[in-house]
Amino acid sequence: MNNSTRDIDSLIELMAKLPGLGPRSARRAVLHLIRKRALMLTPLADLMQTVAVTARECLRCGNIGTADICDICTSHKRATGEICVVEDVADLWAMERSNVFKGRYHVLGGTLSALDSIGPDDLRIPQLLSRIETEDVQEVILAVGATIDGQTTAHYIADQLEGRVKLTSLAQGVPIGGELDYLDDGTITAAMTARKEI
Amino acid sequence: MNNSTRDIDSLIELMAKLPGLGPRSARRAVLHLIRKRALMLTPLADLMQTVAVTARECLRCGNIGTADICDICTSHKRATGEICVVEDVADLWAMERSNVFKGRYHVLGGTLSALDSIGPDDLRIPQLLSRIETEDVQEVILAVGATIDGQTTAHYIADQLEGRVKLTSLAQGVPIGGELDYLDDGTITAAMTARKEI
C-alpha cells in the first residue's frame, strides 16, 4: 500500500502493540473502528486526547486518576488507619470492584526481582515507609500476588515495618466457585492448612 | 470512583467494546497506554483523529483507504482484466499480504444470509454487475469463504455472471504446513477429490 493509506497502517501497527492484541486482532479492531466512526473512532480519539492530558499518578499512593492526590486518598469516607499495599494499579481497581476494603492504598509499581534487578528504591517502598511515619497507620495489608517475587516483596516490606504497625496478608484458599479438581496443589495445601471449624 | 476519573472509566468502557478485547484486557490496555503516554497514548489519539477524518470506502471496489478511489483501483501496475471478489476488507488485506494477485478487487461487504435477511442489494453485488458491464473484465475470481453463506453468495454471483466472464474460485485442499490429523473431513474430501498427478 502506498502513502495515502499510511495512517491506517500506522494505526494498525500501534494498536498491535497493546497488550492482548496482535497484528490480526489490531486489523479487525481498526476496521471495526472505521466502520463505527461516529460511535467509536471519534469518541475514542477524543477520550484518549483528554486522558493523555489529564491522567496522572497520585503523589501519595500511586493510583492513577486526574488529580495530584487521588479520589481515594482525599475521600473522607475512607479509613485513614489502614493501608492496603498492592503491586499494580490494576490490582487496586480489582480491590475497589470487590468493594470490601474501606481504607487507603499504596501501589508499589511492581515487585522486587533479582533477575530484572528491581530493588526497593525502584518501587514505591521508600514512599510507603515515609507514609507509615507521617500518617496515623494502624494496619498494613500486604495484598501482593502469591508469586515468588510477590512473596519476596511482602517479606521485605514486613521486615522493614516489623513492630511498627500491625501487618496482615490476604487469606489463601479455595476461590469462591472454584472446583477442587481444577486447583493446583499449592492452593489446596494452603486451604487445608488454614482450614476452619464450621 | 467519582467524576474526576470518569474519562478514564469511559475510555476503558469504549476500549472494551473493540472486537477481541473485554473489560479486563481493556483495563490492562488503558493502564499500558497511560504509562506509555508519549509513545502510545498521544500518537494513538492523533492517528485516530486523522483516520476518523480521512478514511473512506473506495467508491469502486469498497476497499478502505484515504481517497475516493483507492490505491489499488488507481494503480497502473494492476491488471484491469481480473476482479477478485472478497467478502470483507480484511480478506482483501489478507490477499494483498500474500502478494499473489495482481488484479483488482471487489469487496461485497458480507455474505447473503436468509437468517439475517441480507439480500443481494444489501451487499455490493449490483456494483459488481455494473463493473462487469463498464470495465473490460475477463475473469472474476470468487474468493469468498468456504462457509454455507459464502458458498451461497458465490453461487448467486456465478448465476448472475454466467456466460459473461470467466469465473473461477480459490482451490480447496490441505493448507501449507497443515497436518492431515488436524484437518476436518470436508477439507480432506475436497483435497482428495481435487488430487493432482505429481
Side-chain angles (χ1 to χ4, degrees):
Chain A
M1 298 192 191
N2 74 11
N3 296 356
S4 69
T5 56
R6 196 191 276 165
D7 289 333
I8 297 174
D9 291 343
S10 312
L11 181 57
I12 294 171
E13 259 172 55
L14 212 52
M15 290 285 286
K17 286 184 188 159
L18 285 177
L21 287 177
R24 190 168 181 281
S25 43
R27 281 193 295 270
R28 273 179 63 211
V30 168
L31 279 175
H32 183 84
L33 285 172
I34 293 177
R35 273 190 210 113
K36 309 222 160 187
R37 196 179 311 220
L39 269 173
M40 293 280 299
L41 186 51
T42 311
L44 203 52
D46 292 344
L47 271 173
M48 282 186 178
Q49 213 99 57
T50 312
V51 169
V53 174
T54 57
R56 64 200 64 199
E57 237 178 39
C58 172
L59 296 174
R60 193 174 298 160
C61 76
N63 184 17
I64 283 175
T66 47
D68 283 341
I69 303 291
C70 76
D71 302 333
I72 296 174
C73 283
T74 50
S75 167
H76 296 295
K77 291 183 190 154
R78 314 287 303 215
T80 47
E82 297 172 2
I83 290 183
C84 178
V85 176
V86 293
E87 292 175 18
D88 198 272
V89 176
D91 300 331
L92 188 162
W93 289 356
M95 289 287 291
E96 281 299 282
R97 283 197 298 282
S98 80
N99 231 341
V100 69
F101 179 63
K102 295 299 177 199
R104 296 179 183 183
Y105 293 93
H106 193 83
V107 180
L108 295 174
T111 52
L112 295 174
S113 166
L115 262 178
D116 302 328
S117 61
I118 296 176
D121 292 342
D122 300 315
L123 305 178
R124 298 171 38 85
I125 291 180
Q127 289 92 322
L128 174 64
L129 302 182
S130 89
R131 284 183 73 181
I132 308 297
E133 300 282 319
T134 54
E135 297 176 30
D136 184 26
V137 180
Q138 276 91 50
E139 181 178 353
V140 170
I141 300 147
L142 296 171
V144 292
T147 60
I148 292 179
D149 283 345
Q151 290 310 304
T152 309
T153 312
H155 278 297
Y156 177 84
I157 295 174
D159 274 350
Q160 301 290 309
L161 294 183
E162 217 186 342
R164 291 158 68 184
V165 282
K166 180 179 170 193
L167 278 167
T168 55
S169 70
L170 296 184
Q172 295 191 312
V174 182
I176 307 299
E179 292 179 56
L180 287 190
D181 195 19
Y182 289 91
L183 286 180
D184 61 298
D185 299 349
T187 304
I188 290 182
T189 308
M192 195 66 187
T193 313
R195 68 187 178 278
K196 297 184 298 185
E197 211 169 317
I198 303 170
Chain B
M1 299 193 193
N2 75 9
N3 296 354
S4 68
T5 57
R6 197 190 274 165
D7 289 333
I8 298 175
D9 291 344
S10 312
L11 181 56
I12 294 171
E13 257 173 54
L14 212 51
M15 289 286 285
K17 285 184 189 158
L18 285 177
L21 287 177
R24 192 169 179 279
S25 42
R27 279 192 296 269
R28 274 178 63 211
V30 168
L31 279 176
H32 183 83
L33 284 172
I34 292 176
R35 272 190 210 114
K36 308 223 161 189
R37 197 179 309 222
L39 270 172
M40 294 279 301
L41 186 51
T42 312
L44 203 52
D46 292 344
L47 271 172
M48 282 186 177
Q49 213 99 56
T50 313
V51 168
V53 174
T54 58
R56 63 199 64 198
E57 236 179 40
C58 171
L59 296 174
R60 193 175 297 159
C61 77
N63 185 16
I64 282 174
T66 47
D68 282 341
I69 302 292
C70 76
D71 303 332
I72 296 174
C73 283
T74 51
S75 167
H76 295 295
K77 291 183 189 155
R78 314 285 303 215
T80 47
E82 297 172 2
I83 290 183
C84 177
V85 176
V86 292
E87 290 176 19
D88 198 274
V89 176
D91 300 331
L92 187 162
W93 290 354
M95 288 287 292
E96 281 298 280
R97 284 197 299 282
S98 79
N99 230 342
V100 68
F101 179 64
K102 296 298 177 198
R104 296 178 183 183
Y105 293 92
H106 193 82
V107 180
L108 294 175
T111 52
L112 295 175
S113 166
L115 262 179
D116 302 326
S117 59
I118 297 176
D121 293 342
D122 300 314
L123 305 177
R124 298 171 39 84
I125 291 180
Q127 290 91 324
L128 174 64
L129 302 181
S130 89
R131 282 184 74 183
I132 308 297
E133 300 281 320
T134 54
E135 297 175 31
D136 185 24
V137 180
Q138 276 92 51
E139 181 177 353
V140 169
I141 300 146
L142 295 172
V144 292
T147 58
I148 293 180
D149 283 344
Q151 292 308 304
T152 309
T153 313
H155 278 297
Y156 177 84
I157 295 173
D159 274 352
Q160 302 289 309
L161 295 182
E162 216 187 341
R164 291 158 70 185
V165 281
K166 182 179 166 191
L167 278 168
T168 56
S169 69
L170 295 185
Q172 295 191 313
V174 183
I176 307 298
E179 291 180 55
L180 287 190
D181 195 18
Y182 289 92
L183 286 179
D184 61 299
D185 300 350
T187 304
I188 291 183
T189 307
M192 194 65 187
T193 312
R195 68 187 179 278
K196 296 183 298 182
E197 211 171 315
I198 302 170

